Amino acid sequence: MVMQEQSRRLAEPLRWGARQKAVIAVVVGLMVVAVVVLAVRGVKTHNGAEASNCVRVTFASTLGGADLHGCGAQARRICASGSFPHVAKELQLACERAGFPYRAPS
């Protein structure tokens, strides 16, 4: 019967062969490489958005967090619109970082 040796098999620790160890090593290595690539890519994307002519402001909204984002001509329009009084301070800082003139809401 199949069940005769089950208690002995459950009592013994698993034995890892060379093939299983190699497979685990490759999988762990690929995961480490993927994490490093994603981290480097995220840092480059974040710094690139701040260094260019983009404006990004995250603020509280009725359904959670909201994001006001624009680059180039759209960012210039956002900064010059005089809108968004609820995020005026944050938007002013973002516009100054991007080098766009800011108009305060009236």
Side-chain angles (χ1 to χ4, degrees):
M1 283 205 144
V2 176
M3 301 297 278
Q4 288 177 349
E5 298 292 322
Q6 185 165 349
S7 62
R8 182 186 59 80
R9 194 177 74 227
L10 291 174
E12 291 179 4
L14 293 175
R15 298 192 200 297
W16 290 78
R19 184 181 304 155
Q20 288 86 359
K21 289 178 184 177
V23 168
I24 294 297
V26 167
V27 168
V28 169
L30 289 173
M31 288 172 51
V32 167
V33 168
V35 167
V36 168
V37 167
L38 290 174
V40 168
R41 193 168 177 208
V43 167
K44 283 185 179 179
T45 302
H46 180 69
N47 289 341
E50 282 187 340
S52 68
N53 59 350
C54 293
V55 173
R56 179 180 298 260
V57 177
T58 304
F59 56 94
S61 180
T62 55
L63 297 176
D67 195 32
L68 176 63
H69 177 71
C71 290
Q74 183 181 11
R76 187 177 299 277
R77 282 192 301 271
I78 290 171
C79 291
S81 70
S83 302
F84 313 106
H86 53 287
V87 290
K89 291 179 184 179
E90 294 86 356
L91 184 57
Q92 181 178 6
L93 291 172
C95 292
E96 288 173 358
R97 276 194 303 263
F100 294 128
Y102 174 75
R103 188 176 113 195
S106 50

